[in-house]
């Protein structure tokens, strides 16, 4: 297992937010200190889903410097249809490597368009074809709907490899946040072992609420600069709260978050997982469970690499064009996609 730590660019204080992250958090107002150890105050049935989904639709900037084409297709998955988007650059006459990219959004939000500029930049930098599915969302479609849609997209990719001009032996599966969960689900469900590389960007690899985790998630597991502690804990709290809603909205019909088919951390057998790249943020709520997942991958003999961005939080991948580390993250992934 290899670990690469990326230092902050504008802040030298250890275990502090990167400057731009702190500025953003301070602009939101005072931290909700009194809420940090409270259970969710709003019942899931009272959530304004439309508002939450709208708030998740913040696009980054297009930083590509060459022409990237994009097409949309409707494909059949089991007994229904979904939309997928395909991104690519100028043809070379050779088959290209492919990336199946899965957006995040807590399983009940997010969409392909919001991460379109990340897909474009990855297609450019990796010289690859990037395919992203508009998987069905909870609570209208709970587990395993989204996971089925992702696996169905992988099936479609390999069945249409000739048409797509991709090398079906060089496919990476990549996801951010909830998309990271679905990427890992896909690797575990892929009995044909078609995936060469798995990339999880602060993946939600355990959907179990903090108070129920066997590794006892707690704020104390993070090193924090005392002068920013309330702001850091406030950011962690937001995703601690979100994890509770994900369990209620996505994990329905008798399933458990501690089922390995739901939360990859609890999968019984990781020995057939592909080579793995974990992109982590120092102050991400899911970093604790992802550290546990890295241990399990290593014990299973999987070639695993971790890139940790100091001073960053969950969601930094969203800020392409305004946060340099988001661009750097995609370039790091692109290098490994090229090497497949």
């Amino acid at each position: 297992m290899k670990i690469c730590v990326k230092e902050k660019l504008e802040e030298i204080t250890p275990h502090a937010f990167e400057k731009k992250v702190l500025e953003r958090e301070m602009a939101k107002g005072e931290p909700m200190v009194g809420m940090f150890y409270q259970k969710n105050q709003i019942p899931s049935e009272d959530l304004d889903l439309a508002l939450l989904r709208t708030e998740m639709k913040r696009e980054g900037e297009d930083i590509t410097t060459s022409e990237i084409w994009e097409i949309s297709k409707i494909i059949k998955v089991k007994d229904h249809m979904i939309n997928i988007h395909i991104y690519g650059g100028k043809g070379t006459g050779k088959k290209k490597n492919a990336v199946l990219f899965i957006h995040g959004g807590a399983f009940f939000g997010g969409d392909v368009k919001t991460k379109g500029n990340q897909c474009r930049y990855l297609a450019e930098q990796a010289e690859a074809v990037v395919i992203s599915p508009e998987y069905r969302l909870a609570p209208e479609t709970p587990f395993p709907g989204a996971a089925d849609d992702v696996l169905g997209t992988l099936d479609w990719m390999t069945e249409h490899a000739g048409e797509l001009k991709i090398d079906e032996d060089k496919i990476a599966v990549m996801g951010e946040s909830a998309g990271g969960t679905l990427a890992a689900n896909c690797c575990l469900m892929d009995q044909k072992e078609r995936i060469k590389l798995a990339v999880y960007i602060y993946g939600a690899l355990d959907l179990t609420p903090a108070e129920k985790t066997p590794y006892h998630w707690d704020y104390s597991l993070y090193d924090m600069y005392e002068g920013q502690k309330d702001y850091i804990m406030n950011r962690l709290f937001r995703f601690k709260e979100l994890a509770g809603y994900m369990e209620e909205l996505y994990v329905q019909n008798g399933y458990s978050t501690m089922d390995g088919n739901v939360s990859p951390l609890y999968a019984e057998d990781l020995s057939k997982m592909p080579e793995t790249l974990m992109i982590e943020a120092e102050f991400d709520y899911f970093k604790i469970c992802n550290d546990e997942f890295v241990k399990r991958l290593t014990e299973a003999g999987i070639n695993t690499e971790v890139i940790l961005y100091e001073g960053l939080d969950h969601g930094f991948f969203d800020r392409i064009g305004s946060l340099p580390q988001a661009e750097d993250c995609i370039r790091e992934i692109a290098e490994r996609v090229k090497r497949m």
Side-chain angles (χ1 to χ4, degrees), residues 46-93:
D46 292 336
L47 291 173
D48 187 338
L49 265 184
L51 177 62
L52 288 172
R53 286 171 173 170
T54 299
E55 290 176 344
M56 290 180 180
K57 293 184 178 182
R58 290 190 288 267
E59 294 180 48
E61 298 174 21
D62 184 355
I63 60 172
T64 56
T65 57
S66 61
E67 184 178 349
I68 300 297
W69 52 263
E70 175 185 352
I71 60 174
S72 175
K73 284 188 176 292
I74 296 174
I75 67 170
K76 186 172 178 60
V77 176
K78 291 188 173 180
D79 61 351
H80 61 279
M81 313 284 272
I82 64 167
N83 186 225
I84 64 169
H85 290 256
I86 309 171
Y87 306 83
K90 184 178 179 181
T92 61

Side-chain angles (χ1 to χ4, degrees), residues 27-162:
K28 295 176 182 177
E30 291 298 313
M32 298 180 288
V33 177
M35 301 290 292
F36 290 168
Y37 292 94
Q38 301 296 317
K39 291 185 177 181
N40 291 356
Q41 298 299 299
I42 302 174
S44 59
E45 59 264 28
D46 292 336
L47 291 173
D48 187 338
L49 265 184
L51 177 62
L52 288 172
R53 286 171 173 170
T54 299
E55 290 176 344
M56 290 180 180
K57 293 184 178 182
R58 290 190 288 267
E59 294 180 48
E61 298 174 21
D62 184 355
I63 60 172
T64 56
T65 57
S66 61
E67 184 178 349
I68 300 297
W69 52 263
E70 175 185 352
I71 60 174
S72 175
K73 284 188 176 292
I74 296 174
I75 67 170
K76 186 172 178 60
V77 176
K78 291 188 173 180
D79 61 351
H80 61 279
M81 313 284 272
I82 64 167
N83 186 225
I84 64 169
H85 290 256
I86 309 171
Y87 306 83
K90 184 178 179 181
T92 61
K94 297 180 180 179
K95 291 182 179 179
K96 291 190 174 187
N97 295 356
V99 180
L100 170 54
F101 173 77
I102 306 114
H103 71 78
F107 302 100
F108 56 78
D111 59 19
V112 172
K113 185 175 184 294
T114 302
K115 293 298 183 297
N117 286 329
Q118 286 86 340
C119 289
R120 277 184 273 276
Y121 191 58
L122 178 62
E124 178 185 67
Q125 295 298 304
E127 299 174 2
V129 173
V130 178
I131 298 175
S132 188
E134 205 74 83
Y135 59 84
R136 292 167 297 165
L137 299 177
E140 298 89 342
T141 304
F143 177 87
D148 287 342
D149 290 350
V150 172
L151 183 64
T153 304
L154 176 64
D155 291 338
W156 183 89
M157 287 171 63
T158 54
E159 290 165 7
H160 293 79

Side-chain angles (χ1 to χ4, degrees), residues 283-294:
F283 301 120
D284 173 33
Y285 167 80
F286 295 104
K287 180 180 179 298
I288 306 305
C289 71
N290 294 351
D291 288 345
E292 296 294 316
F293 191 69
V294 168

